[in-house]
Amino acid sequence: QVQLVESGGGLVQPGGSLRLSCAVSGSIFRFNVVGWYRQAAGKQRELVAEIMRGGSTNYANSVKGRFTISRNIAKNMVYLHMTNLKPEDTAVYYCNARVPGDFWGQGTQVTVSS
């Protein structure tokens, strides 16, 4: 059974920064893709950023230049470093690992508000 556990969410002012962490049980290298999604209230879940096994990354246009996804293979950790946060970044952020399979964490709330 694969488990993904997110941490690092919270309340931050506009323009602030946060780093989300995702602990993956077992080796993250077994997955083709590991990434972060978010779901704002009343909206569909959307891709934020993902990192492929080979190290290439993909970002949503809305976060390019502000968010950075990274990983620590030895620790089986995936991170999302978020800077210049905006109120529209407010959402529950989910860690995802897939191919093979499709696994999700429980989510962590990020609220951007003054």
Side-chain angles (χ1 to χ4, degrees):
Q1 181 70 17
V2 176
Q3 289 187 322
L4 289 76
V5 180
E6 303 99 333
S7 60
L11 173 64
V12 63
Q13 292 186 340
S17 299
L18 277 177
R19 189 182 79 159
L20 305 183
S21 300
C22 175
V24 182
S25 63
S27 172
I28 62 173
F29 223 59
R30 62 181 151 157
F31 299 105
N32 282 355
V33 187
V34 185
W36 290 92
Y37 286 71
R38 68 186 180 187
Q39 187 168 18
K43 296 187 177 181
Q44 290 189 332
R45 191 172 297 189
E46 63 176 0
L47 173 69
V48 177
E50 59 189 3
I51 184 165
M52 313 306 173
R53 180 183 289 152
S56 60
T57 56
N58 182 38
Y59 294 90
N61 287 334
S62 59
V63 306
K64 283 181 180 177
R66 300 188 298 123
F67 290 12
T68 303
I69 188 170
S70 63
R71 64 187 179 184
N72 184 318
I73 296 172
K75 294 184 177 181
N76 296 314
M77 297 290 294
V78 182
Y79 306 99
L80 185 68
H81 187 206
M82 307 183 292
T83 64
N84 191 21
L85 282 160
K86 304 176 181 181
E88 51 264 41
D89 294 318
T90 295
V92 178
Y93 284 70
Y94 297 92
C95 183
N96 171 261
R98 64 184 189 274
V99 191
D102 189 7
F103 302 96
W104 295 88
Q106 81 288 348
T108 185
Q109 176 71 46
V110 172
T111 302
V112 185
S113 174
S114 55

PDB file of all heavy atoms in Angstrom, residues 10 30 40 48 51 59 67 77 80 83 90 92 104 110:
ATOM      1  N   GLY A  10      -0.570  26.157   5.457  1.00  0.00           N
ATOM      2  CA  GLY A  10      -0.864  27.117   6.500  1.00  0.00           C
ATOM      3  C   GLY A  10      -1.396  28.412   5.940  1.00  0.00           C
ATOM      4  O   GLY A  10      -1.753  28.493   4.759  1.00  0.00           O
ATOM      5  N   ARG A  30      10.059   4.544  -8.312  1.00  0.00           N
ATOM      6  CA  ARG A  30       9.244   3.544  -8.998  1.00  0.00           C
ATOM      7  C   ARG A  30       8.103   4.176  -9.791  1.00  0.00           C
ATOM      8  O   ARG A  30       7.497   3.509 -10.621  1.00  0.00           O
ATOM      9  CB  ARG A  30       8.676   2.536  -8.009  1.00  0.00           C
ATOM     10  CG  ARG A  30       7.756   3.150  -6.985  1.00  0.00           C
ATOM     11  CD  ARG A  30       7.252   2.096  -6.028  1.00  0.00           C
ATOM     12  NE  ARG A  30       6.983   2.679  -4.729  1.00  0.00           N
ATOM     13  CZ  ARG A  30       6.151   2.151  -3.855  1.00  0.00           C
ATOM     14  NH1 ARG A  30       5.538   1.025  -4.128  1.00  0.00           N
ATOM     15  NH2 ARG A  30       5.967   2.724  -2.692  1.00  0.00           N
ATOM     16  N   ALA A  40      -9.350  24.370  -5.221  1.00  0.00           N
ATOM     17  CA  ALA A  40      -9.958  25.487  -4.513  1.00  0.00           C
ATOM     18  C   ALA A  40     -11.442  25.199  -4.305  1.00  0.00           C
ATOM     19  O   ALA A  40     -12.037  24.383  -5.011  1.00  0.00           O
ATOM     20  CB  ALA A  40      -9.771  26.771  -5.311  1.00  0.00           C
ATOM     21  N   VAL A  48      -0.686  21.468 -10.518  1.00  0.00           N
ATOM     22  CA  VAL A  48       0.167  22.613 -10.186  1.00  0.00           C
ATOM     23  C   VAL A  48       1.560  22.410 -10.778  1.00  0.00           C
ATOM     24  O   VAL A  48       2.070  23.256 -11.505  1.00  0.00           O
ATOM     25  CB  VAL A  48       0.270  22.796  -8.660  1.00  0.00           C
ATOM     26  CG1 VAL A  48       1.221  23.936  -8.318  1.00  0.00           C
ATOM     27  CG2 VAL A  48      -1.110  23.043  -8.061  1.00  0.00           C
ATOM     28  N   ILE A  51       6.986  16.308 -11.579  1.00  0.00           N
ATOM     29  CA  ILE A  51       8.358  15.987 -11.926  1.00  0.00           C
ATOM     30  C   ILE A  51       8.398  14.543 -12.395  1.00  0.00           C
ATOM     31  O   ILE A  51       7.841  13.654 -11.749  1.00  0.00           O
ATOM     32  CB  ILE A  51       9.314  16.258 -10.746  1.00  0.00           C
ATOM     33  CG1 ILE A  51      10.764  16.011 -11.156  1.00  0.00           C
ATOM     34  CG2 ILE A  51       8.945  15.447  -9.507  1.00  0.00           C
ATOM     35  CD1 ILE A  51      11.774  16.606 -10.153  1.00  0.00           C
ATOM     36  N   TYR A  59       4.834  22.694 -15.243  1.00  0.00           N
ATOM     37  CA  TYR A  59       4.121  23.589 -14.347  1.00  0.00           C
ATOM     38  C   TYR A  59       2.859  24.138 -14.999  1.00  0.00           C
ATOM     39  O   TYR A  59       2.819  24.367 -16.210  1.00  0.00           O
ATOM     40  CB  TYR A  59       5.003  24.786 -13.966  1.00  0.00           C
ATOM     41  CG  TYR A  59       6.207  24.436 -13.137  1.00  0.00           C
ATOM     42  CD1 TYR A  59       7.422  24.123 -13.739  1.00  0.00           C
ATOM     43  CD2 TYR A  59       6.131  24.425 -11.745  1.00  0.00           C
ATOM     44  CE1 TYR A  59       8.531  23.806 -12.976  1.00  0.00           C
ATOM     45  CE2 TYR A  59       7.236  24.113 -10.969  1.00  0.00           C
ATOM     46  CZ  TYR A  59       8.427  23.796 -11.589  1.00  0.00           C
ATOM     47  OH  TYR A  59       9.526  23.485 -10.825  1.00  0.00           O
ATOM     48  N   PHE A  67       6.532  28.999  -8.436  1.00  0.00           N
ATOM     49  CA  PHE A  67       6.599  27.731  -7.720  1.00  0.00           C
ATOM     50  C   PHE A  67       7.710  26.866  -8.308  1.00  0.00           C
ATOM     51  O   PHE A  67       7.967  26.912  -9.513  1.00  0.00           O
ATOM     52  CB  PHE A  67       5.285  26.959  -7.858  1.00  0.00           C
ATOM     53  CG  PHE A  67       4.105  27.554  -7.133  1.00  0.00           C
ATOM     54  CD1 PHE A  67       4.138  28.831  -6.599  1.00  0.00           C
ATOM     55  CD2 PHE A  67       2.938  26.820  -6.989  1.00  0.00           C
ATOM     56  CE1 PHE A  67       3.050  29.372  -5.939  1.00  0.00           C
ATOM     57  CE2 PHE A  67       1.823  27.334  -6.331  1.00  0.00           C
ATOM     58  CZ  PHE A  67       1.890  28.616  -5.810  1.00  0.00           C
ATOM     59  N   MET A  77      11.137  12.064  -0.757  1.00  0.00           N
ATOM     60  CA  MET A  77      10.393  13.282  -0.484  1.00  0.00           C
ATOM     61  C   MET A  77      10.228  14.097  -1.765  1.00  0.00           C
ATOM     62  O   MET A  77      11.122  14.134  -2.615  1.00  0.00           O
ATOM     63  CB  MET A  77      11.120  14.137   0.550  1.00  0.00           C
ATOM     64  CG  MET A  77      11.268  13.510   1.920  1.00  0.00           C
ATOM     65  SD  MET A  77       9.703  13.377   2.811  1.00  0.00           S
ATOM     66  CE  MET A  77       9.315  15.115   3.067  1.00  0.00           C
ATOM     67  N   LEU A  80       7.262  21.293  -2.810  1.00  0.00           N
ATOM     68  CA  LEU A  80       6.757  22.375  -3.642  1.00  0.00           C
ATOM     69  C   LEU A  80       7.089  23.674  -2.927  1.00  0.00           C
ATOM     70  O   LEU A  80       6.512  23.978  -1.875  1.00  0.00           O
ATOM     71  CB  LEU A  80       5.251  22.252  -3.865  1.00  0.00           C
ATOM     72  CG  LEU A  80       4.655  23.282  -4.829  1.00  0.00           C
ATOM     73  CD1 LEU A  80       5.161  23.042  -6.260  1.00  0.00           C
ATOM     74  CD2 LEU A  80       3.130  23.246  -4.801  1.00  0.00           C
ATOM     75  N   THR A  83       6.519  30.760  -3.879  1.00  0.00           N
ATOM     76  CA  THR A  83       6.887  32.127  -3.564  1.00  0.00           C
ATOM     77  C   THR A  83       5.883  33.094  -4.196  1.00  0.00           C
ATOM     78  O   THR A  83       5.105  32.719  -5.071  1.00  0.00           O
ATOM     79  CB  THR A  83       8.295  32.461  -4.075  1.00  0.00           C
ATOM     80  OG1 THR A  83       8.304  32.373  -5.507  1.00  0.00           O
ATOM     81  CG2 THR A  83       9.322  31.504  -3.509  1.00  0.00           C
ATOM     82  N   THR A  90      -4.967  30.065  -2.908  1.00  0.00           N
ATOM     83  CA  THR A  90      -5.644  29.410  -1.801  1.00  0.00           C
ATOM     84  C   THR A  90      -6.350  28.157  -2.279  1.00  0.00           C
ATOM     85  O   THR A  90      -7.153  28.202  -3.215  1.00  0.00           O
ATOM     86  CB  THR A  90      -6.665  30.367  -1.155  1.00  0.00           C
ATOM     87  OG1 THR A  90      -5.960  31.470  -0.570  1.00  0.00           O
ATOM     88  CG2 THR A  90      -7.484  29.660  -0.092  1.00  0.00           C
ATOM     89  N   VAL A  92      -6.662  23.494  -1.266  1.00  0.00           N
ATOM     90  CA  VAL A  92      -6.081  22.297  -0.658  1.00  0.00           C
ATOM     91  C   VAL A  92      -5.112  21.718  -1.677  1.00  0.00           C
ATOM     92  O   VAL A  92      -5.482  21.505  -2.839  1.00  0.00           O
ATOM     93  CB  VAL A  92      -7.155  21.261  -0.282  1.00  0.00           C
ATOM     94  CG1 VAL A  92      -6.493  20.011   0.306  1.00  0.00           C
ATOM     95  CG2 VAL A  92      -8.156  21.855   0.704  1.00  0.00           C
ATOM     96  N   TRP A 104      -2.814   9.217  -3.982  1.00  0.00           N
ATOM     97  CA  TRP A 104      -3.021  10.575  -3.512  1.00  0.00           C
ATOM     98  C   TRP A 104      -2.807  10.683  -2.016  1.00  0.00           C
ATOM     99  O   TRP A 104      -3.100   9.741  -1.266  1.00  0.00           O
ATOM    100  CB  TRP A 104      -4.446  11.020  -3.831  1.00  0.00           C
ATOM    101  CG  TRP A 104      -4.741  11.131  -5.285  1.00  0.00           C
ATOM    102  CD1 TRP A 104      -5.189  10.128  -6.099  1.00  0.00           C
ATOM    103  CD2 TRP A 104      -4.588  12.284  -6.108  1.00  0.00           C
ATOM    104  NE1 TRP A 104      -5.329  10.612  -7.384  1.00  0.00           N
ATOM    105  CE2 TRP A 104      -4.973  11.913  -7.418  1.00  0.00           C
ATOM    106  CE3 TRP A 104      -4.177  13.598  -5.871  1.00  0.00           C
ATOM    107  CZ2 TRP A 104      -4.956  12.827  -8.490  1.00  0.00           C
ATOM    108  CZ3 TRP A 104      -4.162  14.495  -6.929  1.00  0.00           C
ATOM    109  CH2 TRP A 104      -4.546  14.110  -8.215  1.00  0.00           C
ATOM    110  N   VAL A 110      -3.665  25.453   2.070  1.00  0.00           N
ATOM    111  CA  VAL A 110      -2.876  26.674   1.922  1.00  0.00           C
ATOM    112  C   VAL A 110      -3.860  27.831   1.775  1.00  0.00           C
ATOM    113  O   VAL A 110      -4.713  27.815   0.879  1.00  0.00           O
ATOM    114  CB  VAL A 110      -1.951  26.609   0.703  1.00  0.00           C
ATOM    115  CG1 VAL A 110      -1.278  27.959   0.457  1.00  0.00           C
ATOM    116  CG2 VAL A 110      -0.895  25.517   0.895  1.00  0.00           C
TER     117      VAL A 110
END
